[in-house]
Amino acid sequence: MPRSATGRDAGDRRPGVVSALVFTVSLAACDAPREPVRVLALETHLRQQIADLESLVARAEKGALVPTDGLVVAVHEDVVRQVAQLALPREQVVGGRFRVRLETADVRLRDKHGAIRLGGRVSRAGDDFFDADIEAELAVFARLEAVAFDRTSGMLSGRVMPIGFELQKLGVAGERPLLRRLVAGFARLQEHVLAELAFPLTIPVGFESELRLAGREEGPVRIRPASCPVRVTVRDAAAHGGRLWIVLGIEAGPWTRAAPPGGRR
Amino acid sequence: MDASRAAGGAPMSRRSGRGRRRWGRRIAATLLALALGGAGYVYWEEKEAAAREARIATLEATRDRLRERLGRLREKDPLVASAPEAGVLIGIGEAFGSQLLSQATTGFLGQVELVLKNLKVHKAGRVRVKTPLGRMTPGHYVLDVRIEEVRGILEPGPVKLDFGRGRADVSFPVRVARGEGRARLRFQWDSRGLAGAFCDDFTVTTRVGGHVRPRTYPVEGSFDLSMAGGTLTAVPRFPDLVVNLEVEPSEESWAEVERVLGRRSLKCRMALKLVDVRQALERLLDKGFKVRVPQKILKPVRFPVGLRQSVVLEGRTYDLAVTPRALRISPKRLWYGADVTAEAAGAPLEGAVAPPPALPATAEPAPVPETTPAAAPAPTPEATAAPAPPTGVEEESPAPPPSEEAGEAPPAEPTPTPTPPPGKGERY
């Protein structure tokens, strides 16, 4: 995940106490910063990316980047972006104090978990007119996680999980002290609060839950109504080469007699 | 006063001055410590930031190298290279595809039951014997068998499947595994000449039952693979399967036939030995009854995984435009896919599949046999190829071809002879 050009990282931890404290002190000592403020565990994130890439390289060296058998679904990053965009704009209050509105999504599928950048704005929640117009541009960095088969919808699903954020274009609008309070407060958000911004993602690939055979009870060739359950499991999901590769296990069978004629389609 | 002021004031002033200086030094020391601490903190911060920057730069360089390496390995990966361009791709491994098609095919055929009703076979002959006076004809016989019902269950065997050039070639055995039948047998004896003095004309009827003889048939065909609505469909191309149901009467049935004929007089029984009813009946039934299983009862098989034309996100349904894009069969994998666009909600792009109003709640059936009766298999007893009659018996009239059209259950024809109630086989 690229860092901003100004590269003002607020510590190398997830949005935590020390980074937030340092950032708050800097805000208190100076004016509201005009440069982007990033709260992201960049070092941790990079280490995770490297570990993910190493596992993918090891698989590729064995010729097992994509398994030779079974079922594979490959979703282009542009489709993931479009589906993520369907869930936008979304507005929600996080930490009980900040109203976050996410409007755009950009997706890169390179390093196993991929990188998702959600663009939007953050402002104070509540009904105070003086605070209402104070907002900062926000970029939330997220990863695609928990790819699984959703039995309810019969489709594949994942979860956009935020791991950090960046406040941009500070000090260009609104009262600076108010903006300073907004930025300082938002920067203090803990990881679990940031997780409130997570949202589900549905991949438009569906599975039948069973094969069905309608019966035929007339004529010399008769067919007994039967059904065969289909079980789907996600064995692996990895982003590389601009696609999300999902390896699935499907087991079908055995065939069993279906409900009597009244119950069949 | 002055002296006392001078005596008492000087020490106080000195003390006060020393106290101020002491405080001043403390404050100065504190400020110095703070300044040093601040400077140290800033220095430490700068140093730490520089070290962090260096670590991050190293990590980024490592990551970029790994990305490049992965990119090179991806280019060499035959499976990744074989994947066509499409927004969403579904790749099916050869073994998995074979297993799925096998399961669909065998599962389907395993549910098929062949049922034939009201079939009639007929055999008649003239019995001739050599006597010192020359050849004599003691009588005529007529053997009518009305198969009330015969059922056979199909059991498909393991499927061999080869992908290639837009289709999958399939071969597998199908076995008529088991089944049973029941029939009404009518034997009519018409004495001729002097024989009439020994044995009266008579007609006997009895019920016989038996099982279907197991037999295996090879099946060869193919599935044409195509994409429809974001789902891979395998359209079967198989010739009609002609199955011969051969009924083998049970030992109980033979015993019943013997019992019924055994009630005749001794002279009659001697005449009947010349006919050998059992052998005649066996030859009739050995020909079997053909049933044609039309290929059209095998319906297209939809693979149970496909692109959906809508998605549900947090309770809301969004339409998608799905434009089928690719179907590629490589030696190891079958790829199919489509481009998906979410912008065209409710108004699919040109050539795109029209989105449904809502997400399908349940899976559609994959192999769907037609629900209306298909054109009928033909029960065709092979009467023309009747074997030579037994010694002393001449074939007079072969069994007539079946009047039923293939697959249509023929109406029950009235039997020439009133049938006895169950348990009373003999009419006269």
Side-chain angles (χ1 to χ4, degrees), chain B residues 23-342:
Chain B
W23 276 108
R25 280 197 298 273
R26 284 178 185 164
I27 289 167
T30 306
L31 286 174
L32 181 64
L34 280 173
L36 285 173
Y41 176 76
V42 169
Y43 174 74
W44 174 81
E45 260 292 291
E46 288 293 322
K47 196 175 174 185
E48 180 61 25
R52 191 168 59 238
E53 286 296 322
R55 284 198 306 272
I56 285 171
T58 307
L59 290 170
E60 283 178 338
T62 307
R63 179 197 61 189
D64 293 345
R65 274 199 308 275
L66 284 167
R67 276 182 174 167
E68 280 178 27
R69 194 167 161 197
L70 180 63
R72 286 196 300 273
L73 288 166
R74 275 177 50 81
E75 286 171 9
K76 290 179 191 168
D77 189 301
L79 282 175
V80 173
S82 73
E85 282 298 318
V88 180
L89 271 177
I90 297 167
I92 295 177
E94 191 177 14
F96 175 71
S98 299
Q99 181 199 342
L100 206 62
L101 276 179
S102 300
Q103 195 123 20
T105 309
T106 57
F108 173 79
L109 286 173
Q111 308 304 322
V112 172
E113 186 178 26
L114 307 175
V115 181
L116 296 178
K117 287 187 174 181
N118 296 323
L119 302 173
K120 282 179 280 184
V121 285
H122 170 86
K123 187 176 175 67
R126 185 173 52 177
V127 178
R128 301 190 70 183
V129 290
K130 282 181 184 174
T131 65
L133 300 173
R135 281 184 173 269
M136 291 184 65
T137 302
H140 283 247
Y141 73 93
V142 176
L143 180 61
D144 283 311
V145 182
R146 181 178 161 208
I147 308 281
E148 292 172 335
E149 185 178 88
V150 58
R151 288 173 179 264
I153 304 287
L154 296 187
E155 268 185 16
V159 175
K160 282 185 187 171
L161 196 140
D162 291 312
F163 282 110
R165 286 188 294 182
R167 69 178 200 192
D169 294 324
V170 183
S171 62
F172 57 93
V174 170
R175 185 165 175 259
V176 180
R178 60 187 186 280
E180 55 191 22
R182 60 176 194 274
R184 187 180 294 275
L185 184 143
R186 176 174 171 272
F187 182 79
Q188 185 179 347
W189 175 255
D190 182 14
S191 294
R192 295 288 169 90
L194 286 174
F198 304 111
C199 182
D200 293 336
D201 296 349
F202 69 91
T203 302
V204 291
T205 60
T206 187
R207 286 178 178 275
V208 292
H211 62 270
V212 172
R213 208 172 281 151
R215 218 176 129 183
T216 302
Y217 302 86
V219 175
E220 286 187 6
S222 64
F223 284 100
D224 288 350
L225 302 169
S226 61
M227 276 194 72
T231 301
L232 184 67
T233 305
V235 181
R237 302 272 181 239
F238 287 89
D240 291 354
L241 172 65
V242 179
V243 172
N244 197 27
L245 291 181
E246 296 168 25
V247 181
E248 194 169 18
S250 63
E251 285 305 317
E252 293 78 15
S253 295
W254 287 130
E256 178 64 13
V257 170
E258 296 291 336
R259 189 186 67 79
V260 168
L261 295 176
R263 287 183 184 173
R264 310 310 310 173
S265 65
L266 178 64
K267 293 163 189 139
C268 274
R269 292 204 300 273
M270 287 178 67
L272 289 174
K273 275 190 180 174
L274 295 172
V275 178
D276 197 346
V277 176
R278 177 168 180 159
Q279 193 180 39
L281 183 60
E282 275 178 337
R283 286 189 175 176
L284 272 181
L285 295 177
D286 277 352
K287 291 170 191 165
F289 306 97
K290 287 193 170 62
V291 184
R292 188 175 296 273
V293 181
Q295 70 109 15
K296 66 180 180 181
I297 69 159
L298 277 173
K299 288 294 170 184
V301 177
R302 273 174 39 191
F303 276 65
V305 51
L307 280 91
R308 289 286 168 88
Q309 292 150 21
S310 63
V311 291
V312 178
L313 291 170
E314 296 174 298
R316 287 183 63 188
T317 303
Y318 300 89
D319 293 341
L320 303 172
V322 176
T323 310
R325 179 88 188 274
L327 173 61
R328 182 180 292 176
I329 300 172
S330 64
K332 295 274 184 188
R333 191 169 283 275
L334 169 70
W335 293 103
Y336 62 102
D339 285 338
V340 177
T341 46

Side-chain angles (χ1 to χ4, degrees), chain A residues 1 43 49 61 67 70 72 74 76 82 90 111 202 204 206 208 211-212 216 220 222 224 240 243 252 255 265, chain B residues 55 63 67 69 74 87 89 91 93 103 110-111 113 115 302 304 306 312 314 333 342-343 363-364 374 377 407:
Chain A
M1 191 166 295
E43 203 171 326
Q49 272 187 319
E61 283 172 341
V72 174
H76 196 272
Q82 288 187 55
R90 54 190 297 117
D111 314 317
T202 302
E208 313 289 0
L211 306 175
R212 278 196 189 182
R216 191 173 114 162
R222 301 183 184 189
R224 292 168 291 191
H240 52 84
R243 284 174 171 159
W255 285 88
R265 293 193 211 192
Chain B
R55 284 198 306 272
R63 179 197 61 189
R67 276 182 174 167
R69 194 167 161 197
R74 275 177 50 81
L89 271 177
Q103 195 123 20
Q111 308 304 322
E113 186 178 26
V115 181
R302 273 174 39 191
V312 178
E314 296 174 298
R333 191 169 283 275
E343 287 85 358
E364 290 295 316

Side-chain angles (χ1 to χ4, degrees), chain A:
Chain A
M1 191 166 295
R3 288 191 303 145
S4 66
T6 50
R8 186 162 175 165
D9 292 304
D12 190 43
R13 285 164 287 276
R14 299 276 172 106
V17 177
V18 175
S19 58
L21 193 63
V22 170
F23 180 63
T24 308
V25 167
S26 73
L27 284 175
C30 315
D31 201 346
R34 290 171 186 276
E35 296 172 337
V37 175
R38 175 170 290 193
V39 178
L40 171 69
L42 185 58
E43 203 171 326
T44 308
H45 176 62
L46 282 168
R47 289 188 194 284
Q48 180 67 57
Q49 272 187 319
I50 288 168
D52 291 344
L53 280 164
E54 281 173 342
S55 73
L56 287 176
V57 166
R59 275 162 50 175
E61 283 172 341
K62 290 177 192 165
L65 193 57
V66 179
T68 52
D69 199 26
L71 186 72
V72 174
V73 172
V75 189
H76 196 272
E77 59 191 14
D78 194 45
V79 174
V80 177
R81 182 193 63 76
Q82 288 187 55
V83 174
Q85 192 70 52
L86 286 176
L88 305 175
R90 54 190 297 117
E91 192 170 299
Q92 65 191 102
V93 174
V94 296
R97 292 179 295 150
F98 302 99
R99 184 178 304 281
V100 173
R101 181 181 169 85
L102 298 175
E103 293 169 332
T104 60
D106 194 12
V107 178
R108 294 280 181 275
L109 299 176
R110 301 283 185 278
D111 314 317
K112 197 169 182 181
H113 285 97
I116 300 172
R117 183 188 175 103
L118 304 163
R121 287 168 291 166
V122 58
S123 60
R124 283 251 173 215
D127 53 2
D128 189 342
F129 287 128
F130 299 106
D131 277 359
D133 295 335
I134 306 301
E135 60 181 24
E137 283 194 16
L138 173 71
V140 174
F141 308 115
R143 301 184 351 156
L144 186 56
E145 293 185 350
V147 176
F149 172 64
D150 180 9
R151 289 184 187 281
T152 311
S153 65
M155 298 173 85
L156 292 172
S157 66
R159 194 157 187 82
V160 176
M161 183 59 69
I163 57 171
F165 63 87
E166 185 177 89
L167 291 160
Q168 300 167 316
K169 292 191 181 176
L170 304 176
V172 295
E175 292 292 326
R176 286 189 178 179
L178 295 176
L179 182 64
R180 193 165 62 228
R181 278 174 49 204
L182 170 71
V183 172
F186 196 72
R188 273 197 295 268
L189 286 181
Q190 298 296 304
E191 189 181 354
H192 69 276
V193 180
L194 195 65
E196 290 176 19
L197 291 171
F199 62 90
L201 196 81
T202 302
I203 295 161
V205 175
F207 299 84
E208 313 289 0
S209 59
E210 66 175 8
L211 306 175
R212 278 196 189 182
L213 196 61
R216 191 173 114 162
E217 296 174 348
E218 299 293 328
V221 180
R222 301 183 184 189
I223 299 157
R224 292 168 291 191
S227 66
C228 169
V230 177
R231 289 172 291 278
V232 181
T233 50
V234 173
R235 290 182 181 161
D236 182 55
H240 52 84
R243 284 174 171 159
L244 176 65
W245 300 80
I246 305 165
V247 182
L248 297 143
I250 294 191
E251 289 177 24
W255 285 88
T256 52
R257 293 292 293 270
R264 69 186 161 92
R265 293 193 211 192

